[in-house]
Each structure stands twice: as structure tokens, then as C-alpha cells.
């Protein structure tokens, strides 16, 4: 999953289309593969041709974004289905067990969790201004971008930041995912550098597109997680059924 079909992020693009399988009868499936953007202009003509041939050998093609469905159809002439990112197949209770093992954040009072992959002065000011208006502190556990040596936090500590916080500000796809899983009020900065279609597609899928920060403005509305969770559970069921369908074809092939 994730941006395995985005050319600049891949060590060998055809590898993630199973070019190493010599037998065309071998079962093939992609789960929540992402192109990371709404087009494949980063592909060379040779790559596009090779990947198209390989993708036609797949038994089931699933992608993470709606734009990926369109790319598969328009560029590769292959039907694809949109599914949830695999992190969303688990329940909040599964992640809570891990988050509770985090040791970095010990505060018990409400706070704003800041998770920025690409921090800028503008992003920081928006989050800090929001926190000041709410009378809350801002907590960030990612290393500063100006540090020569970066030490990243343990995954338990990262999860605990989402789990314990009141609000989340991020420019990350998976930060948005865990904000949804833990039912947080969160806000997302556009991130065109890393692929903004990932973010917009996720928010649209959950019917919460207003969480995207546009022109520096933060929406005043709150997320109704009753509706979000109803939709999420339906999508989770559909995604798991697709996985089971593929596994059944393998079992039948014997």
C-alpha cells in the first residue's frame, strides 16, 4: 500500500507491478496502491507501457484514491476498485492498546497535537493561533527540521499523540487517518509536494472535505463522528470482503 506506484518514490517501479513473476498464471492483487497524485506524468513512456502490460495480468486491482481508479481506467485500461488504506481496517481499540504504551506525552489536560512533515512559518502560526484562542498548549513530538541529527519518536509515542489530544493539525495522510480512527477534531494543511490528492481523496471519502485548511482559514464546524463511523464501517466491510475474495481464489487454485 501507500505510494508504491509513484515513480519518484519507487526503487524500481515495475517491481511493484510484479515484473519478477515469470508465470502469467500466478495470482496477482494490489491492495490500496497509490499513485500519490492525480496523474502519471512522472512515468516515462517505457514505464507506462510496461506497467500497463503488467497490470493487465492482475486478478484484482484496488487503489487507495478515487484518482487512482481513474488513472487505471484511462491510462492502463484496467478496472480498479477504491478501498481503505490498510491502517483503517483495524479498530480504534486495536491502536489504543499501542498508544497507551507511549511514554513521551504524560499530560492529562487537553492539548493541540501538531504533526507536520513539512513545517512552515504559516502552518505553525495557524495552529498556534487556534490553540491560543482555545486556551490550549501545542504539543509536537517530531524532530525540528533544522536539526542535523534527527531522532524520531517511537510509534507508540506517535499514536499516543493522536490518542490523547483534543485537536490535531497536520499535513500528513496517515496523521489524518489516525485522527479519524481516534475520532479527533482535526485540520489538514494541503501538501502538494507529497501529493495532495491523497489527502483530498481521503477527506472526500469520509465526507469531511471541510477539514482541509483553505487560504489559512480553519473551519468552525465539528466532525459528526456518528456519520463518519457509519460510513467507515461500511467501507471497512467492503475492503475486507475484497481481500477475502482474492484469498479465496488462491485457496481454490490450490
Amino acid at each position: 500500500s501507500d505510494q508504491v506506484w509513484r515513480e519518484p518514490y519507487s526503487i524500481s517501479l515495475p517491481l511493484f507491478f510484479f515484473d519478477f513473476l515469470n508465470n502469467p498464471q500466478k495470482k496477482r492483487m494490489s491492495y490500496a496502491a497509490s499513485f500519490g497524485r492525480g496523474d502519471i506524468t512522472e512515468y516515462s513512456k517505457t514505464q507506462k507501457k510496461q506497467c500497463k502490460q503488467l497490470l493487465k495480468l492482475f486478478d484484482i486491482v484496488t487503489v487507495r484514491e478515487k484518482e487512482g481508479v481513474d488513472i487505471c481506467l484511462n491510462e492502463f485500461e484496467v478496472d480498479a476498485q477504491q478501498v481503505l488504506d490498510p491502517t483503517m481496517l483495524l479498530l480504534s481499540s486495536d491502536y489504543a492498546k499501542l498508544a497507551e504504551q507511549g511514554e513521551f506525552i504524560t499530560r492529562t489536560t487537553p492539548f493541540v497535537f501538531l504533526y507536520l512533515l513539512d513545517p512552515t512559518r504559516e502552518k505553525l502560526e495557524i495552529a498556534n493561533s487556534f490553540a491560543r484562542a482555545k486556551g490550549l498548549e501545542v504539543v509536537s513530538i517530531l524532530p525540528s527540521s533544522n536539526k542535523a541529527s534527527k531522532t524520531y519518536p517511537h510509534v507508540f509515542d506517535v499514536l499516543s499523540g493522536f490518542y490523547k489530544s483534543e485537536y490535531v493539525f497536520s499535513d500528513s495522510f496517515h496523521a489524518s487517518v489516525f485522527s479519524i480512527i481516534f475520532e479527533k477534531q482535526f485540520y489538514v494543511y494541503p501538501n502538494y509536494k507529497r501529493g495532495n490528492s491523497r489527502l483530498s481523496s481521503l477527506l472526500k471519502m469520509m465526507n469531511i472535505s471541510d477539514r482541509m485548511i483553505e487560504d489559512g482559514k480553519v473551519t468552525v464546524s465539528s466532525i459528526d463522528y456518528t456519520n463518519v463511523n457509519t460510513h467507515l464501517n461500511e467501507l471497512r466491510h467492503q475492503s475486507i470482503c475484497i481481500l477475502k475474495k482474492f484469498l479465496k481464489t488462491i485457496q481454490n487454485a490450490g
Side-chain angles (χ1 to χ4, degrees):
S1 184
D2 217 342
Q3 299 187 66
V4 292
W5 287 350
R6 186 170 183 184
E7 200 281 332
Y9 291 7
S10 176
I11 55 173
S12 173
L13 194 58
L15 180 70
F16 290 95
F17 287 85
F18 301 137
D19 70 331
F20 53 87
L21 294 179
N22 297 321
N23 184 353
Q25 301 303 317
K26 287 287 186 181
K27 298 295 181 181
R28 296 167 169 83
M29 176 187 179
S30 65
Y31 184 82
S34 174
F35 295 96
R37 47 187 292 159
D39 58 61
I40 54 169
T41 55
E42 296 170 329
Y43 283 41
S44 68
K45 289 184 178 179
T46 300
Q47 287 174 326
K48 179 181 175 181
K49 181 180 179 180
Q50 184 179 8
C51 292
K52 180 178 180 179
Q53 292 172 339
L54 290 169
L55 199 58
K56 286 183 174 294
L57 296 175
F58 278 52
D59 297 271
I60 297 177
V61 178
T62 73
V63 291
R64 196 173 64 185
E65 287 85 37
K66 173 60 171 64
E67 290 84 352
V69 175
D70 298 335
I71 289 173
C72 285
L73 181 61
N74 299 328
E75 301 288 354
F76 299 125
E77 298 175 357
V78 169
D79 290 326
Q81 301 175 74
Q82 185 181 8
V83 294
L84 289 176
D85 186 85
T87 55
M88 303 185 85
L89 298 183
L90 297 178
L91 303 177
S92 60
S93 57
D94 297 312
Y95 291 112
K97 295 174 185 177
L98 304 179
E100 287 168 353
Q101 297 181 55
E103 299 178 349
F104 184 86
I105 300 176
T106 57
R107 65 174 56 245
T108 57
T109 55
F111 64 91
V112 174
F113 187 53
L114 186 65
Y115 191 91
L116 295 179
L117 299 177
D118 303 299
T120 65
R121 182 178 298 177
E122 180 184 12
K123 291 177 182 179
L124 292 172
E125 178 51 36
I126 291 172
N128 287 326
S129 177
F130 178 89
R132 284 195 299 269
K134 296 286 185 181
L136 302 176
E137 290 190 41
V138 175
V139 174
S140 175
I141 62 175
L142 290 181
S144 173
S145 59
N146 57 15
K147 285 186 178 180
S149 178
K150 298 182 179 181
T151 301
Y152 286 89
H154 194 284
V155 64
F156 295 166
D157 291 318
V158 174
L159 287 174
S160 72
F162 297 106
Y163 181 60
K164 296 178 180 179
S165 65
E166 188 80 10
Y167 300 93
V168 177
F169 280 75
S170 79
D171 57 2
S172 157
F173 174 86
H174 283 101
S176 301
V177 165
F178 285 109
S179 297
I180 293 170
I181 290 173
F182 287 131
E183 300 185 12
K184 301 301 174 179
Q185 300 300 323
F186 72 100
Y187 305 92
V188 187
Y189 301 98
N191 194 325
Y192 299 101
K193 173 184 175 182
R194 297 175 186 264
N196 202 58
S197 69
R198 303 173 306 127
L199 296 170
S200 59
S201 183
L202 172 66
L203 298 181
K204 187 175 182 180
M205 181 189 285
M206 295 293 113
N207 298 318
I208 50 174
S209 295
D210 64 341
R211 310 326 289 179
M212 186 76 76
I213 299 173
E214 301 287 357
D215 300 322
K217 297 178 181 178
V218 176
T219 180
V220 295
S221 63
S222 298
I223 301 173
D224 180 358
Y225 272 103
T226 301
N227 291 331
V228 170
N229 287 331
T230 297
H231 190 48
L232 176 57
N233 287 332
E234 292 174 353
L235 293 172
R236 183 180 286 131
H237 174 73
Q238 293 171 11
S239 299
I240 292 175
C241 282
I242 292 172
L243 272 174
K244 287 183 176 180
K245 178 181 177 181
F246 177 68
L247 294 174
K248 188 174 182 179
T249 65
I250 296 177
Q251 184 180 33
N252 292 339

